[in-house]
Amino acid sequence: PANGAIRAMTAIDPARKHNQFNLVAQAHRQAGSTFKTFVLAAAIEAGMDPETTYYLSAPLHCDTGPCAVKPWDVKTYDNSYVGSTSVARATLRSDNTVYARLTLDVGADKVAAMARKLGVRTPLGVKTQYGRVYVPAMGLGAIAVTPLDMASAYATLAAGGVYSEPMAIKKVVFPNGKEDTKNWGKPK
């Protein structure tokens, strides 16, 4: 977190020889509930207090506004709901319905901006017939990002909000012992 240095990375499938595809930096996976952190951070940046702000924990059907292009139905993983609840409690429950409502209120564009600010470099807009748009389902981790993006963003939080570009190579030494003089290992 302090400098962006990657301590360990298993980037390939050892069963596949000569594979140059880096799973950590190049593979895209849905982030799921880990993306809710960016919704929460964007809401707090906008002035929301998670302890005193309440939302409804109940199934959600959205078909207007940002959901007009594609209607969205949201429920919790186990179909359990608690009614009115603080965002802090909803965070502990990882309540999809509360976070869907919070994403709609904060705005998917603000969630995307927060994710970018913290270190997500994967484009988060979804290609539609209307061009690229930020969809509210992003707040629940529906957009595929790289594992490195998520590690980088969480490292930014661990560093008190200071982003450091991920760095995999600290130095390069050639077989003759000479060191490459490029800026390897310099935190950015």
Side-chain angles (χ1 to χ4, degrees):
N3 61 17
I6 298 169
R7 287 194 177 173
M9 174 171 44
T10 301
I12 62 166
D13 180 349
R16 298 179 69 187
K17 291 183 180 182
H18 309 295
N19 181 4
Q20 295 299 307
F21 186 77
N22 183 319
L23 294 170
V24 175
Q26 295 173 296
H28 290 77
R29 303 284 186 266
Q30 288 185 337
S33 291
T34 61
F35 219 83
K36 291 175 183 170
T37 301
F38 309 139
V39 178
L40 183 60
I44 290 170
E45 182 178 65
M48 190 253 335
D49 179 347
E51 296 291 340
T52 61
T53 303
Y54 281 70
Y55 273 83
L56 179 63
S57 169
L60 169 68
H61 174 75
C62 179
D63 58 7
T64 60
C67 304
V69 173
K70 184 175 181 189
W72 190 33
D73 289 296
V74 183
K75 61 184 183 173
T76 60
Y77 176 76
D78 62 358
N79 290 309
S80 67
Y81 306 97
V82 296
S84 181
T85 187
S86 72
V87 172
R89 278 193 232 119
T91 301
L92 295 174
R93 290 179 31 104
S94 192
D95 192 310
N96 289 340
T97 65
V98 168
Y99 268 84
R101 288 176 170 90
L102 186 56
T103 301
L104 288 166
D105 285 351
V106 170
D109 59 329
K110 299 283 193 294
V111 174
M114 179 57 70
R116 176 106 179 125
K117 189 185 298 187
L118 293 174
V120 174
R121 297 298 175 248
T122 303
L124 298 172
V126 173
K127 188 176 177 183
T128 70
Q129 64 189 30
Y130 306 104
R132 286 207 171 269
V133 297
Y134 296 119
V135 295
M138 174 195 324
L140 301 183
I143 306 300
V145 297
T146 67
L148 183 58
D149 276 351
M150 293 305 292
S152 178
Y154 272 77
T156 301
L157 292 169
V162 177
Y163 171 75
S164 293
E165 186 177 305
M167 170 181 49
I169 302 171
K170 292 179 94 172
K171 70 179 181 176
V172 174
V173 180
F174 296 110
N176 64 5
K178 211 172 188 186
E179 192 170 313
D180 189 341
T181 58
K182 290 184 182 156
N183 287 330
W184 300 110
K186 304 286 186 228
K188 295 179 191 170

